[in-house]
Amino acid sequence: MLIAQLSDLHVRPPGELYRGVADSNRALTDAIIHLHQLDRRPDLVVITGDLVDYGEPEEYAHAHTLLSQLTIPYAVLPGNHDHREQFRTAFADHAYLPMDGPLHYCVDDYAVRIIALDSCVPGQHHGDVDAAGLQWLQTTLQANPHKPTLVLLHHPPFVSGIPYLDEYAYRDPAPLEAVLHTATNVEAVLCGHVHRPMVRRWAGTVVASCPSTTTEIALQLAPDAAPQSYIGPAACMLHLWNPAHGLVSHISYIGQYPGPYPFF
């Protein structure tokens, strides 16, 4: 099974730029074209949050229109820039989304089970999953303890070392870690939020964050670093699962580059 991951689309109303600088709408279209041109068609696309920038209905209408270009099934998850109820309304045609409360869900229609956690705190930018959400996760994991599973959430449950990102990190990940430690079939935890690829061993599995389709947050590790971003390089992730070999994840850069050349 091949699962493509997009994240942090930050769609704006038609004709408007993300933060007045980046054409996030065009970047999403470019990402969709990129997925359609892959030499192997993904079975599913997962989008790990921040589909829009301000949570406005006009943004969601445009995001839904842009995503309708996808000829591949896709599943969506909110991020801290999303508005939970506007998100739910905009994607009411996605039957897996719950009708009320946090947008936790499980998609069990593929060789790999997808469990998504809504790690957003309404009105805030940091991440958290409350006790009820953790109990839902525990119950869902226990319902099928052997099937290969990916767990999705927007906020990576670790400290990145980039100070202005860590102000808005997942708060107190230990309870989530304890739940995940009870499962032996979680192939990986997939996140967004940080606009950069990051990998960490955690909770008996691996956590990986996906780059953004529109901007890359600068890698600055000095504790007094000021927030900075770059337009690009845009990328997505491809997660290839094989029953004999398990899961391998690739970063797939979006855009045109010189090549290909007949060597490696």
Side-chain angles (χ1 to χ4, degrees):
M1 181 178 181
L2 182 62
I3 301 162
Q5 182 186 2
L6 303 177
S7 201
D8 298 86
L9 315 180
H10 291 279
V11 168
R12 298 287 291 126
E16 296 189 25
L17 300 177
Y18 169 50
R19 305 296 157 153
V21 176
D23 191 347
S24 55
N25 298 342
R26 179 66 218 181
L28 174 54
T29 295
D30 289 345
I32 291 170
I33 292 170
H34 176 76
L35 294 181
H36 288 165
Q37 292 177 341
L38 291 171
D39 66 346
R40 176 172 170 177
R41 175 188 170 90
D43 299 285
L44 177 68
V45 179
V46 296
I47 306 174
T48 47
D50 283 0
L51 275 69
V52 304
D53 199 33
Y54 290 103
E56 298 170 348
E58 189 178 8
E59 291 178 320
Y60 282 116
H62 195 42
H64 197 286
T65 297
L66 292 174
L67 288 168
S68 70
Q69 300 173 91
L70 268 172
T71 61
I72 306 163
Y74 70 94
V76 292
L77 180 69
N80 56 295
H81 282 261
D82 289 302
H83 183 284
R84 183 177 289 161
E85 296 312 317
Q86 298 288 2
F87 186 103
R88 195 191 319 268
T89 298
F91 294 98
D93 55 332
H94 286 238
Y96 55 83
L97 291 175
M99 298 293 290
D100 54 57
L103 295 168
H104 311 313
Y105 63 85
C106 177
V107 174
D108 203 1
D109 302 328
Y110 299 91
V112 175
R113 180 175 56 165
I114 306 295
I115 296 177
L117 284 174
D118 181 351
S119 61
C120 300
V121 180
Q124 304 294 322
H125 285 290
H126 69 274
D128 187 46
V129 176
D130 63 15
L134 294 175
Q135 182 58 58
W136 176 88
L137 174 62
Q138 181 81 75
T139 300
T140 305
L141 286 169
Q142 289 175 346
N144 195 340
H146 304 294
K147 185 172 183 177
T149 296
L150 292 175
V151 173
L152 278 53
L153 67 159
H154 181 64
H155 299 79
F158 57 77
V159 172
S160 73
I162 300 174
Y164 42 86
L165 283 181
D166 292 332
E167 290 181 24
Y168 309 111
Y170 188 103
R171 302 275 174 88
D172 189 19
L176 174 59
E177 181 178 16
V179 172
L180 290 173
H181 259 304
T182 67
T184 59
N185 57 330
V186 176
E187 296 280 336
V189 177
L190 305 181
C191 311
H193 188 53
V194 289
H195 290 225
R196 297 192 59 85
M198 301 181 191
V199 180
R200 185 185 173 192
R201 184 177 63 184
W202 179 78
T205 185
V206 174
V207 186
S209 65
C210 182
S212 168
T213 54
T214 187
T215 59
E216 181 178 78
I217 289 176
L219 177 57
Q220 299 184 105
L221 302 177
D224 59 349
Q228 291 183 330
S229 293
Y230 296 90
I231 296 179
C236 60
M237 294 193 76
L238 300 175
H239 307 283
L240 180 62
W241 180 81
N242 180 288
H245 306 294
L247 187 79
V248 61
S249 298
H250 301 268
I251 297 173
S252 184
Y253 293 100
I254 300 164
Q256 300 298 316
Y257 302 93
Y261 301 105
F263 59 80
F264 59 90

